[in-house]
Amino acid sequence: MERTGVVTFLGNPLTLVGPEIKAGDEAPDFTVLDNGLGAKTLADFAGRTVVISVTPSLDTPVCDAQLRRFNDTATKVGDDVVVLNVSMDLPFANKRFCSVAGIDKALTLSDHRDASFGNAYGVLVKELRLLARAIFVVGKDGLVKHAEIVPEMTNHPDYDKALAAAM
């Protein structure tokens, strides 16, 4: 399934691959890679609230700021909330970024191998094979509590709204 008219990059329209995920939907599972090349799925975090920060690439200023903001938040919430950052960045780049930026609470995950997350959550950008900037909050019950795809990929998401949904 392809969707147009949802996101732009520097004003240029792009095509998203996958379904539209909305609050109330059952959260789709996915398989991504952690920084040690191990597979991670949504099921690995069952029973916890999962904040999924989606970024095009951590090597850009807005993505950097987004991950830092959620990492900071992750240090202040209880163990029943986990913060993930999913991008197409390679696990090696994610690991390097985390060590340099001091990211120690949010988990950086790579969708580069299969685009499993991008396809499942409808944020895979067809033209760029990157993920559109988005935030999803999945409740302990496995239902999506909040879904935001940022219309212009170079803009920030609504952090406050996402965090309110996670609490």
Side-chain angles (χ1 to χ4, degrees), residues 3 10 23 30-31 51 53 56 61 65 91 96 101 113-115 120 126 131-132 136-137 139 144 152-153 155-156 163:
R3 299 175 295 131
L10 300 173
F30 55 84
T31 302
V51 177
S53 167
R96 177 193 50 77
R113 185 174 63 187
D114 302 319
K126 180 180 178 179
L131 302 179
F136 299 94
V137 177
V144 176
E152 168 54 53
M153 286 178 50
N155 292 341
H156 287 271
L163 294 172

Side-chain angles (χ1 to χ4, degrees), residues 108-120:
T108 52
L109 300 169
S110 174
D111 199 26
H112 90 279
R113 185 174 63 187
D114 302 319
S116 171
F117 179 87
N119 280 300

Side-chain angles (χ1 to χ4, degrees), residues 3 17 21 52 54 57 59 90 106-107 115 123 132 135 153 155 163:
R3 299 175 295 131
V17 178
I21 301 298
I52 306 171
V54 185
S57 175
D59 284 327
L90 294 174
L107 302 175
V123 293
I135 301 177
M153 286 178 50
N155 292 341
L163 294 172

